[in-house]
Amino acid sequence: QVQLAESGGGLVQAGGSLRLSCTASGLIFDDNTMGWFRQVPGKEREGVSCISWSGKITYYADSVKGRFTISRDNAQNTLYLQMNNLKPEDTAMYYCAADCSTYNGVALSNSWGQGTLVTVSS
């Protein structure tokens, strides 16, 4: 059973930074692409970023390009999302997921963590 646990969310002012982490178990971590998604109430979950097993291929949504950086540590079964220059519109619950498309960021499985809340104040 795949288990994903996100952490690192919080309240930050616009222009600030946060680093999200996601630890994974129950899967062969470096066999999977891994990704970050976010959701605000009343809207569909959207793909933020996806990274290949090697870390060499990445996808970013246009809204976060140049501000967010995805990375992974396969030895620690951990996925990261460094978020810089945060904007109020980045406010959302952030989820990590195993299996995503590095082409368009869509989720390819239904394994989700509980999420971590990011709130950006203006």
Side-chain angles (χ1 to χ4, degrees):
Q1 181 178 349
V2 176
Q3 291 187 321
L4 304 166
E6 302 93 340
S7 61
L11 174 63
V12 64
Q13 288 188 330
S17 298
L18 284 173
R19 189 193 196 202
L20 306 184
S21 300
C22 171
T23 56
S25 61
L27 76 166
I28 302 174
F29 187 76
D30 55 6
D31 274 359
N32 290 269
T33 55
M34 297 292 297
W36 289 98
F37 296 77
R38 65 187 182 186
Q39 188 172 25
V40 297
K43 293 189 177 182
E44 290 188 357
R45 195 171 301 186
E46 65 167 336
V48 173
S49 186
C50 181
I51 188 169
S52 65
W53 67 270
S54 67
K56 293 181 179 180
I57 302 172
T58 55
Y59 162 87
Y60 293 97
D62 288 342
S63 58
V64 306
K65 280 180 182 176
R67 300 188 298 120
F68 290 11
T69 303
I70 192 171
S71 62
R72 63 191 295 163
D73 183 342
N74 289 341
Q76 298 295 324
N77 281 17
T78 303
L79 176 72
Y80 301 100
L81 186 69
Q82 178 67 44
M83 305 187 295
N84 298 328
N85 190 23
L86 282 159
K87 303 176 180 180
E89 52 263 43
D90 294 318
T91 295
M93 187 70 80
Y94 283 72
Y95 301 89
C96 71
D99 289 333
C100 51
S101 168
T102 54
Y103 174 69
N104 58 14
V106 299
L108 301 176
S109 72
N110 200 32
S111 297
W112 302 95
Q114 82 287 351
T116 187
L117 181 62
V118 172
T119 304
V120 184
S121 63
S122 57

